[in-house]
Amino acid sequence: MKKMESVEFSRYLSMLTLSVHVVFATVGVGVPLFIMIAHWLGLRRGDEQYLLMAKRWARGYVISVAVGVVTGTAIALQLALLWPKFMEMAGQVVALPLFMETFAFFFEAIFLGIYLYTWNRFKNPKHHFYLLIPVALGAGMSALFITSVNAFMNTPQGFALVDGKLTNIQPLLAMFNPAMPTKVAHVLTSAYMTAAFVLASIAAFHLLRGSRSSYHRKGLALTMKIGLVFSIATALVGDLSGKFLAEYQPEKLAAAEWHFETEGEAPLILFGTLTETNEVKYAIKIPYALSFLVHSNFSGEVKGLNDIPKENHPPLVIHYLFDAMVTIGIGLTVLSLAYVIGLRRNWRFIQNKLFRMLLVASGPLAMLAIQAGWWFTEVGRQPWILNGLMKTKDAATTSPHVWLMFIAFAVLYLILMIGTGVVLTRMFKKNPAELEMEKRGIAL
Amino acid sequence: MTIEVLGISVLWLFLFGYVIVASIDFGAGFFNASTIITKQHHVVNAVIQRYLSPVWEITNVFLVFFFVGMIGFFPKTAYYFGTVLLIPISISIILLALRGSYYAFGTYGTKGHKGYTLMYGVTGALIPASLSTALIISEGGFVKKATNGTLSLDYAALFTSPFAWSIVVLSLTSVLFISASFLAYYSHVAEDNGALKLFRKYTWIWSFPTLITALGIIIEMKWHNPAHFEGMLNLWWLFLLSAICFFISLWLLKKHSYGWSFIFVVLQFALAFYGYGTSRYPYLLYPYLTIHDSFTNQTMAIALVVVFVLGLLLLIPALYLVFKLFIMNKPYIKKGN
C-alpha cells in the first residue's frame, strides 16, 4: 500500500517539477535565437533599436535562465531520488546523452555569463556578438541530448535483456533511437515557435497600450515572421510524429484519437466527450482523415485500442491534451500568417484592437500548447516508464515520505513563479524601452 | 590504473572543483548577508558582486556534472543513494533553488533588495550542511537494509551522531575559510583596502576551527569506520603535507602575498580531499557498495571517457576566457567593466 502511494506521489512530483521546468526550458532554448537575430540586425543595419532589443531580451532571459537552471537541477536529482530503479538501469544505457547534456549546459552557462558582462568591452563589436553563438548552440544541444533520453524511454533500444540482465549495450544506438529524430525536431521547432510568440505578445501588449515608438513595431514584425516559419515547421514535424506513433506506439495514438476498432478508412475525431461505455459524443468526425494522417492514403488500416491488452492502455483523457495542442498550434499558424500577409499588404486590421489582443494572447497560448503536448506524450506512455520493459510502478522509490516532498516542492515552485513574475514586471515597467532609448539618445 | 579508478578520480576532481567554487560562492553570499547585519555591507558589496555576477551559474553546473557523471559511471549509486537520500537532498535542492533564483532576482531585477541578499546568505550556509549528508552516510552506519532488501535512512542515528555533526561543522568552517581567503585575494587585486582588511580578518577567524574539526574527524573515524581510519593512517604523509600547506598559507597571508596564500589553501584542501578519497577505496557506500561492483558496462565507460575528453577540450578554453575576462582582469575587478 505504502509503495503504491509513493508511486502516485512520485508521478505527481515529477509532473509538477517538469511542468514548471518546461516553461523556463522552452524560453531558455528558444529566446537566444531571437537575441542573436536582433543583435545581428542591429550591427548589420547600424540600428541602435535592435541592439537595445537584444539587450533587453537578454536581461529578461537571464531571470528565466536562473529559474530554469534551478528547476533543471531539481529534476536531474529527482530522477534518481524518485525513480532509483529506473536511473540504475538508464545509467547503464543512456548515461552518454545525459553526460553530454551537462557539457552543453556548461558551455551555454559560461558564454551567457561572458555575454552579459562584456557589453562595450570588445574593440570589435562583432566579437561580442559571436559569444551568442555558443549560447544558442548550447541551448539547442542540451535540448537535443535530453530529448533523446526521453525518446529512449518511449522506444528503448541499444541493449539486450537476458534473464533480467542488460548485455550488449550500444550507447549510440540507444541515443539514436527511432523516437529521437521526430521528438528532437518537434521540441526544437516548438521551442523557437513559442519563444517567438512570447516575445511577440510582449511587443503587442505595448502597442495595445498605445506605444508610439517604432521599437515595439519592429519587435513584433521580427518575431511574428520567424514565428510563422517555425509554426509551419512545427506542424510538419508534428505530422511526422503522428506517423511515428502509428508505427511504434499505436496505443498512444489510438488513445489520443479514441480509436477503438482496428479499421481502414479511419476517421479523425476532434473534440467531443467520452461516455463511461466508451462512446464518443459531440465530436467532429473527419472521415478518412486518420488513415490519411498515418498512411497518406484514405483507406490505410489503423490499429485500435480493442486490439491492445487492457492493462497497457494509456488513460483516455490524453485526447483532450492532443486536441488542445493541435488546435492552438493551428490557430497560431493562422494568426501569424494573417499578420505577415497583412503587414506586407498594408492591411489595417493588423492594427485593430481585437487583433492585437489575439497577438497578446499568442505567447501564453503557445506555452499552454507546450504543456499540453508534454502531458500528452508523457501520460500517453503510461503504464510504462520504459515502454514495454519497465512499468512505472516498479521504478518508484520505496521511501514513504514522497508526499511531504511533494508539498515542499509545490510551495517552492509557487514562490519561484510569483517571484519571477514580480521581478520581470518590475524590471520592465520601471524601465520601459522608450525611457531607455531617451536616456541613450536613440531615436524613438 | 583500471577504468573504474580513472572514472572515480575524474568524478572526485569535479567534486573538488565544486567544493572550491561553491565554497567561494556560499561564503561570499554569507559574508554579503552578515555584513548587512554588522553594517559593513558597503565595504564588501562591490567586490562580492563583481566576482559573483558572471560566474554564479557555472558553480551549479559543477554539481550537476559530478552527479550525472556518478550515475553514468556507477549506475548502482542512483539506486542506493537515491532511495536513501530523498529528504536530505530534496532540502538541498530547495535551498539551491531559492538561492539561485534569489540571486538572479536580486542582481538583475530589484538591485540591492535586502530580503534577497539575506536569503542568499542564509541558504548558502545551510546548503553545505545538507549536501554533506551524502558524504556522511557514505561512511556507513546510517543506512538500514531490511530483510526484504529495502533501504532506509536511520534519522535518529544520524541526528545524534557526533561524527555526523563534526562533518557538518567542517563543511561550514571550510566554506567560510576558503571563501574569505579567495575574497581577500580578490579585494587585493581590486586595491580595495577596506574589503581586504575585513576578509583578512575573516580568513584568520575561520582558519583554525577548520583545522581542528578536520583533525577531530580523523580521530572520530577510528570508532566510526575503523577500516577507513586504517586507510587514512597509511596515507598519513598526505595529511601532514596538507597541514603544512595550511601553515604556509597563513604565513603568506601575514606577508601580504594573497594570491599565493589562496593557492596554498586550495592545495591544502586538494591534498586532504584526495587523501580522504583514496583512503576510503574501494567503498562508495560502506559496506554495501564498492566502485567495482557498481561500475557500468565497459562500452559505456569508454564512451563516457571519450566524451569527457572531448568536452574538456571545449571547456578548458571557455573557462580560461572567464578567467581572463573576470577573475584575472584588473580593470574589470576594479571598475566592474
Side-chain angles (χ1 to χ4, degrees), chain A residues 1 102 161 280 290 419 425:
Chain A
M1 191 59 207
T102 55
L161 203 58
V280 182
L290 188 59
T425 23

Side-chain angles (χ1 to χ4, degrees), chain A residues 218-237:
Chain A
K218 281 181 190 167
L220 185 63
L222 173 68
T223 50
M224 285 304 265
K225 280 180 201 160
I226 305 172
L228 174 63
V229 174
F230 281 109
S231 340
I232 295 170
T234 307
L236 290 176
V237 179

Side-chain angles (χ1 to χ4, degrees), chain A residues 92-93 103 117 121 169 416, chain B residues 53 101 108 297 300 325 329:
Chain A
Q92 295 174 66
V93 192
F103 270 112
Y117 286 88
R121 269 181 73 182
I169 289 165
L416 290 187
Chain B
S53 302
S101 48
Y108 306 101
N297 55 83
M300 184 54 86
L325 286 168
N329 190 305

Side-chain angles (χ1 to χ4, degrees), chain A residues 5-50:
Chain A
E5 281 169 12
S6 287
V7 175
E8 293 306 309
F9 280 112
S10 296
R11 288 184 59 198
Y12 298 147
L13 181 49
S14 302
M15 173 172 152
L16 185 68
T17 305
L18 283 166
S19 299
V20 176
H21 180 61
V22 79
V23 173
F24 299 97
T26 305
V27 170
V29 172
V31 169
L33 180 74
F34 294 87
I35 301 176
M36 216 168 129
I37 293 171
H39 197 145
W40 184 68
L41 284 175
L43 290 179
R44 184 79 200 259
R45 298 185 184 166
D47 187 335
E48 293 274 345
Q49 286 197 354
Y50 280 113

Side-chain angles (χ1 to χ4, degrees), chain B residues 14-25:
Chain B
F14 265 88
L15 189 60
F16 181 68
Y18 181 68
V19 166
I20 296 297
V21 290
S23 291
I24 295 174
D25 184 338

